[in-house]
Amino acid sequence: MRFPKTAAERFDAGQRQVLALSQARTPYVFFRVSGWADGRRTLKEDHRQEDMFEFARQITTEVVDRFMTADDPCRTRSVRC
């Protein structure tokens, strides 16, 4: 997924190292994509380094936790629904 005018603008499937989806007992779907936004290509399946992107999993966990505890997460500062 590309986001224009950001560091992820050049990010496409070739750079994707990790793709994860979760619903986490909420009415929301959370997805996390990790990889290299500098143009490097992904590693072959048997050489994937998911632990290199552990920080992305941790950030996603924080976001999911906030959505689970908020009465109306879409009204939470810095959240767009």
Side-chain angles (χ1 to χ4, degrees):
M1 173 168 280
R2 296 177 182 200
F3 294 97
K5 299 182 184 176
T6 70
E9 183 173 37
R10 294 178 299 176
F11 189 82
D12 65 14
Q15 285 81 31
R16 184 177 57 236
Q17 186 72 25
V18 178
L19 172 63
L21 301 169
S22 172
Q23 188 175 10
R25 300 182 317 270
T26 71
Y28 306 98
V29 175
F30 301 91
F31 71 96
R32 167 176 50 94
V33 179
S34 304
W36 293 276
D38 64 0
R40 281 184 273 172
R41 306 305 285 173
T42 189
L43 298 174
K44 292 182 181 182
E45 196 68 35
D46 58 339
H47 288 77
R48 293 201 179 256
Q49 299 174 341
E50 289 192 37
D51 57 329
M52 180 180 279
F53 299 101
E54 176 62 18
F55 70 92
R57 188 194 62 74
Q58 293 171 351
I59 291 169
T60 304
T61 299
E62 295 268 334
V63 170
V64 170
D65 288 349
R66 287 182 185 225
F67 269 66
M68 289 178 70
T69 59
D71 291 331
D72 187 355
C74 291
R75 293 190 182 271
T76 303
R77 185 176 173 202
S78 300
V79 172
R80 285 185 267 164
C81 294

